[in-house]
Amino acid sequence: MARFILLGAGAGLVSAALFASAATGTALAGILFYLAPLPICLAGLGWGWTTAGVAALAGTLVAGGVLGPAAGAIFGGAIALPITVLCYLALLSRPVAATQGQQASLEWYPIGRLVGWAATIAGVLAGIMVLMLGYDVDTYRESIKDLLQHSALKELDRDGTVINDSTIGGLSSVLARTLPAAFAIVWQSIALFNLWLAGVIVEASGRALRPWPKLDAIELPNAFFLAFTASLLASFLPGIAGLVATGLAGALLFAYVLQGLAVLHAFSRGMTFRGLLLAAVYIGILLLGWVAIAI
């Protein structure tokens, strides 16, 4: 038991250090910041979700003690707690009774459901972010405009010929509408990437607590489609409610893009030009947004 506590505490300390690296403002710090959930994922998938919980608690305390209560709350609410929940879900299993010709086995929590819950968490976090910036549309937009005015953008154009009040006003209007969905998609991408990377590492090291899943078999339950439809319709509502719904709609849209990619991977298996086809699809998604909608 003491070993798991020490492992969890160490993982939390490393995670908090990666989170704190964002304060340096360098390009490498940005990469390290995106890997902040990785130690917690490794602790969870390799030693159990309780170890991930210890890591989450330790990381939150360290981040709060070093960077301040606000940073600790952000780390705990946006990284530590959600990642621990995802590790818990990933390790859920139930016994499957033996049938004729087959032995009794374990049925692990489906990856499609895990992706769906990651999207739901991302949507909730995006909604919280919107409400933290403002409880009404005007306050929300002013908060974004204020953030842009105090960002590094003005350092790129110190004489104000390009980055001025007019361009910042236009940029803030666009960003105000797209920020919830963008935030949700980025958070979901970071969470799922770190879970995948941690799974690869623990599988290679022999510490994996569940067998490697079939990633091309992602299938989201129908309940998530209903949630996606409802949130997409709600995103057209005026006011702050529409902005909150936009975050969940964007996250679930990204989840269905992942399901579409899984279908492509499954049906293209054995094709002669499979590598070229998949490369073209991924490049198309990066360069042309509408390709993701088609997928």
Side-chain angles (χ1 to χ4, degrees):
M1 185 65 180
R3 179 188 176 192
F4 293 135
I5 294 176
L6 289 175
L7 284 169
L13 179 61
V14 175
S15 183
L18 293 173
F19 175 77
S21 66
T24 62
T26 63
L28 179 60
I31 297 174
L32 295 177
F33 174 77
Y34 293 140
L35 293 175
L38 182 59
I40 301 177
C41 293
L42 288 171
L45 298 183
W47 285 270
W49 73 270
T50 52
T51 307
V54 173
L57 178 60
T60 301
L61 293 175
V62 170
V66 175
L67 302 176
I74 292 173
F75 177 85
I79 297 178
L81 180 59
I83 294 300
T84 302
V85 171
L86 292 178
C87 288
Y88 169 77
L89 292 175
L91 296 177
L92 282 179
S93 64
R94 62 185 179 185
V96 178
T99 58
Q100 187 176 4
Q102 292 184 345
Q103 296 180 347
S105 60
L106 287 177
E107 180 184 10
W108 294 93
Y109 197 74
I111 293 300
R113 290 179 179 269
L114 187 64
V115 171
W117 282 115
T120 303
I121 293 172
V124 171
L125 291 175
I128 294 173
M129 178 210 60
V130 170
L131 295 176
M132 288 178 65
L133 290 175
Y135 286 101
D136 59 81
V137 175
D138 292 335
T139 306
Y140 169 74
R141 289 176 177 170
E142 284 299 320
S143 296
I144 292 179
K145 186 176 181 179
D146 184 64
L147 289 173
L148 289 175
Q149 288 176 336
H150 294 86
S151 67
L153 286 176
K154 287 197 171 183
E155 293 296 323
L156 301 176
D157 182 38
R158 295 186 178 182
D159 57 0
T161 56
V162 177
I163 308 299
N164 49 46
D165 291 340
S166 177
T167 55
I168 286 179
L171 181 59
S172 63
S173 298
V174 175
L175 189 60
R177 190 61 187 171
T178 58
L179 182 60
F183 174 89
I185 292 172
V186 170
W187 186 93
Q188 187 180 357
S189 302
I190 293 173
L192 293 177
F193 172 76
N194 280 279
L195 278 174
W196 170 82
L197 183 58
V200 171
I201 294 173
V202 297
E203 180 74 15
S205 65
R207 286 292 319 180
L209 298 181
R210 67 168 287 173
W212 187 257
K214 294 182 178 179
L215 298 181
D216 59 0
I218 294 175
E219 183 178 355
L220 275 74
N222 291 333
F224 288 107
F225 178 73
L226 296 177
F228 172 56
T229 303
S231 60
L232 184 62
L233 293 175
S235 67
F236 292 97
L237 292 174
I240 208 73
L243 292 170
V244 171
T246 300
L248 182 58
L252 289 172
L253 173 63
F254 182 69
Y256 279 103
V257 171
L258 293 178
Q259 179 172 284
L261 290 173
V263 171
L264 273 180
H265 276 266
F267 279 93
S268 64
R269 190 181 294 115
M271 292 177 60
T272 305
F273 299 103
R274 182 173 188 261
L276 182 61
L277 171 64
L278 294 177
V281 169
Y282 280 101
I283 293 173
I285 290 176
L286 291 175
L287 300 180
L288 305 170
W290 60 265
V291 175
I293 306 298
I295 296 300

